[in-house]
Amino acid sequence: MKPQFEQVTVPVGESWSLLWRELPELPFLWHYHPEFELTLTLNAQGQRYVGDSLEDFASGDLVLTGPNQPHTWAATERPDASLPMLAVVMWFSTDWLERALASWPELTALHTLSAQAGRGLKFSDAARAQVQPLILALQAQEPALRLPTLLHILTLLSKDAEARPLATHAYTPAGDKVGARIGKILHRLHAQPTDTVSAPALAAEVAMSVGAFHRFFKRHTGMTVLDYVGQLRIGQACQLLINTSRPIKVIASDVGYGTLAHFNRQFLQRKGMTPRAFRASYQGATA
């Protein structure tokens, strides 16, 4: 996938940047930047994209991405509809990290953390619970106190033995022409994932032959168009199963499946359980 370049601005008098985003939804904005990014996402569930990784995410998602690793979070469902989605984003540069490592030998563990971040790191629930209060405290702190808090957060995360990489490799964005093509296709699929879109129609939109289009899409996303759309649809179905009481047959139709049997097969293949069992597992967890 080819993202758009994002310019990260660091406030005058500060060495890194904090963004506190309260939104009704998280739009699909595929992008990259030279800075490391640590993001905590609350009261949102949807899909997370980091490099060639595409996964469902839930409230409490905590991820560190490395320099130039494309990423985005896309969500329309809020577990608590009375509150906005919250994304707390912390950006810091490679130079910032290298200066810290050179100045304070106590931060040596951050060497490993920064190296692993190239592929994106998803932290464990235990690590997230440990640092979440510190992250949420940043907004109210003056800049001089935010700095040691961020270093504290990163030090704690460097000890998370259960953190797992997301993408298969660190990523360098493709050229502008390639980016315009894949970006157009992805925006089309994300805007209307329940529509039946043929590969020839998508290929025509970006002026490619069908064969070239299939190879192009697989090379830049790691999956076929059919698999990609299926992932989006099943992700939407998971949100509806968790947050609504709609009958499963209705949900199957809502997310673009013509028959309940087809939906059940696809859901089982991707989630390892039936839609009914998936819904029951969440109902049991919240009972």
Side-chain angles (χ1 to χ4, degrees):
M1 305 180 190
K2 167 62 173 67
Q4 298 298 311
F5 177 78
E6 179 178 47
Q7 179 69 49
V8 173
T9 302
V10 177
V12 175
E14 301 180 32
S15 60
W16 63 281
S17 187
L18 172 70
L19 177 65
W20 189 277
R21 300 179 68 201
E22 295 185 11
L23 299 168
E25 64 179 40
L26 299 178
F28 179 81
L29 298 173
W30 188 232
H31 67 283
Y32 74 100
H33 41 72
E35 293 78 13
F36 289 87
E37 178 181 313
L38 179 63
T39 299
L40 172 66
T41 309
L42 298 173
N43 198 38
Q45 53 196 38
Q47 286 75 49
R48 176 192 351 96
Y49 307 79
V50 176
D52 58 5
S53 168
L54 166 56
E55 294 183 348
D56 297 334
F57 79 92
S59 183
D61 193 58
L62 181 62
V63 167
L64 175 66
T65 58
N68 295 321
Q69 180 63 271
H71 56 278
T72 192
W73 283 252
T76 58
E77 296 293 331
R78 289 172 287 165
D80 185 343
S82 67
L83 296 174
M85 297 180 185
L86 173 62
V88 185
V89 184
M90 293 142 276
W91 289 300
F92 52 93
S93 68
T94 300
D95 287 343
W96 179 91
L97 186 59
E98 289 177 349
R99 288 197 303 270
L101 291 169
S103 301
W104 301 300
E106 294 87 351
L107 300 178
T108 300
L110 300 190
H111 273 296
T112 302
L113 186 67
S114 63
Q116 294 173 331
R119 295 170 57 189
L121 275 181
K122 167 70 169 68
F123 295 103
S124 67
D125 288 341
R128 188 268 306 163
Q130 190 176 22
V131 302
Q132 181 170 317
L134 296 171
I135 293 174
L136 295 180
L138 287 167
Q139 176 77 341
Q141 292 178 335
E142 59 182 83
L145 295 179
R146 286 178 180 172
L147 177 59
T149 300
L150 177 60
L151 292 173
H152 188 189
I153 291 165
L154 295 175
T155 300
L156 290 173
L157 292 178
S158 70
K159 300 175 183 178
D160 184 11
E162 297 181 9
R164 60 178 177 85
L166 295 172
T168 57
H169 56 273
Y171 190 92
T172 300
D176 289 342
K177 185 176 181 181
V178 173
R181 281 178 162 175
I182 195 67
K184 184 176 183 179
I185 295 165
L186 294 178
H187 279 291
R188 169 73 173 85
L189 296 178
H190 281 262
Q192 298 171 306
T194 61
D195 285 0
T196 300
V197 181
S198 68
L202 290 172
E205 287 189 27
V206 291
M208 300 177 74
S209 70
V210 175
F213 170 75
H214 279 301
R215 293 189 295 271
F216 173 78
F217 192 90
K218 181 69 177 289
R219 183 168 65 251
H220 289 284
T221 67
M223 61 183 75
T224 65
V225 175
L226 186 63
D227 284 340
Y228 194 94
V229 172
Q231 184 89 336
L232 290 177
R233 290 178 175 179
I234 295 301
Q236 285 190 336
C238 289
Q239 296 174 26
L240 293 172
L241 288 165
I242 294 170
N243 291 304
T244 75
S245 58
R246 295 182 199 174
I248 292 173
K249 184 176 182 179
V250 173
I251 290 176
S253 177
D254 286 345
V255 300
Y257 288 93
T259 68
L260 178 59
H262 186 206
F263 171 67
N264 284 336
R265 286 194 300 271
Q266 292 297 308
F267 197 98
L268 179 63
Q269 178 182 333
R270 294 177 184 276
K271 293 297 179 182
M273 64 177 73
T274 65
R276 188 178 303 278
F278 179 86
R279 172 176 270 173
S281 69
Y282 274 85
Q283 290 173 340
T286 57

